[in-house]
Amino acid sequence: MTTETNETDRVRMYLRTQGERYTFRELWIRAVKARLQLLDALDGVNDEQAAFKINEDEWSILEVLKHVLTSSGNVAQLVESLANRRSRQSDDIEPPRKPTDLSITEMRDLLLKDSVAWGALTDRLPEPPSLEIEARHTFFGQLHARAWYLFQRVHDLDHAQQIDKNKRDAGYPEG
């Protein structure tokens, strides 16, 4: 087995087992901490910095935020469907990189709005949810509603690290 396969298996088991052990409200704490870390990564970022790319293969901060926002809304819909015993495809969870014409301020505001929506979603979810109905993630395989909910935490943390990588690059514009 490769290191990447081992890491994928480790994350899959984390998502599934923690999702089976904890309620949505208990998982919400973890999700919020990750979202706050993502929001903190945006502190002091201006429009020039948000548009910066290390190279053409790397994403700008604005592209990261566009991706996170699109994915987050799709994950929320998926979680709600699965928790309520409604099957749903998960093909739209990892949207491709897309540019945006919005400013960093506008994107940050949209991320805050999405964060509040996650809190509202949490109160709408049944406890206990169905853990039998699942949807497939490209890397992590079949996940139930709470595992998908916790996936948002992992996703936000990964992209917070991506933003930090941009900010540490030698070519990153000074504020």
Side-chain angles (χ1 to χ4, degrees):
M1 285 188 134
T2 66
T3 303
E4 187 174 312
T5 302
N6 290 339
E7 179 67 10
T8 299
D9 289 343
R10 187 186 67 75
V11 173
R12 177 188 308 109
M13 289 306 298
Y14 165 76
L15 296 173
R16 291 187 64 82
T17 59
Q18 297 297 292
E20 291 163 7
R21 180 176 295 162
Y22 298 103
T23 66
F24 285 116
R25 283 192 179 163
E26 290 167 325
L27 295 174
W28 175 84
I29 295 166
R30 296 178 191 188
V32 167
K33 286 179 180 179
R35 182 54 63 95
L36 290 173
Q37 189 171 334
L38 181 62
L39 286 162
D40 285 347
L42 303 176
D43 282 351
V45 174
N46 64 37
D47 286 319
E48 180 186 9
Q49 293 166 329
F52 168 77
K53 292 183 188 186
I54 295 171
N55 60 51
E56 284 307 310
D57 293 330
E58 299 288 336
W59 294 23
S60 71
I61 293 172
L62 288 173
E63 290 169 336
V64 169
L65 293 177
K66 174 78 171 168
H67 169 84
V68 168
L69 284 165
T70 302
S71 178
S72 182
N74 294 341
V75 170
Q77 291 174 11
L78 179 62
V79 167
E80 192 162 20
S81 292
L82 295 176
N84 286 296
R85 299 187 175 277
R86 293 190 308 268
S87 182
R88 185 174 179 279
Q89 293 296 314
S90 57
D91 300 338
D92 57 357
I93 297 304
E94 291 291 343
R97 173 171 57 173
K98 288 187 178 177
T100 179
D101 293 331
L102 298 178
S103 70
I104 187 64
T105 301
E106 292 167 316
M107 292 299 285
R108 186 182 297 116
D109 287 346
L110 288 172
L111 189 60
L112 282 170
K113 183 177 179 181
D114 181 76
S115 303
V116 171
W118 266 93
L121 166 70
T122 306
D123 278 343
R124 290 195 310 269
L125 298 172
E127 282 295 353
S130 168
L131 297 180
E132 295 80 38
I133 308 294
E134 297 180 334
R136 180 167 183 72
H137 184 277
T138 309
F139 300 115
F140 306 123
Q142 293 296 113
L143 300 175
H144 51 70
R146 283 196 201 132
W148 274 107
Y149 187 96
L150 192 54
F151 164 79
Q152 190 61 48
R153 173 189 185 265
V154 171
H155 194 254
D156 282 357
L157 289 174
D158 282 348
H159 288 298
Q161 290 174 357
Q162 189 177 12
I163 290 169
D164 287 339
K165 178 182 174 186
N166 278 15
K167 291 167 71 174
R168 288 190 311 268
D169 188 81
Y172 185 72
E174 296 210 18

